[in-house]
Amino acid sequence: MEAEGEVIGTGWVNHGFLPGVTYGFSLEVHEEHRGKGYGRAAMAVGEWATRQGGDEAMMFNVFGGNEVAMGLYDRTGFAVLDEYRFLDLR
């Protein structure tokens, strides 16, 4: 992602990850650019690309504790499909 020639973040999606699904593996807006709407804009582009690629759904994975990402996904209409828990037994 760029704004006026400056890289503001990165994103990586995989079209056709599952039948009919584009999967977002990564979306990061660099800290100094957060809170300016770039994440929401990137999600809109991802939705557009998903439709253009012929997929019917877009999915992301988000780790617990990443409240910023979870908030973005909630605000852009994503629903929680599954939740996993982890216990470190070392």
Side-chain angles (χ1 to χ4, degrees):
M1 297 183 297
E2 291 187 26
E4 300 179 26
E6 181 180 0
V7 176
I8 59 165
T10 59
W12 182 47
V13 297
N14 184 351
H15 167 70
F17 177 73
L18 296 170
V21 176
T22 295
Y23 193 88
F25 286 93
S26 168
L27 174 60
E28 178 186 6
V29 175
H30 298 294
E31 191 170 345
E32 64 271 20
H33 298 292
R34 292 180 187 159
K36 299 176 183 176
Y38 293 120
R40 188 180 295 253
M43 296 301 288
V45 170
E47 289 179 33
W48 176 86
T50 296
R51 289 187 187 100
Q52 292 300 306
D55 282 342
E56 300 171 352
M58 187 173 182
M59 297 174 70
F60 276 87
N61 179 49
V62 61
F63 291 106
N66 189 344
E67 300 296 329
V68 173
M70 287 188 273
L72 174 63
Y73 300 150
D74 287 343
R75 287 189 303 279
T76 53
F78 282 74
V80 176
L81 293 179
D82 208 341
E83 183 175 314
Y84 296 90
R85 301 290 175 146
F86 171 78
L87 176 63
D88 188 350
L89 298 174
R90 288 183 266 164

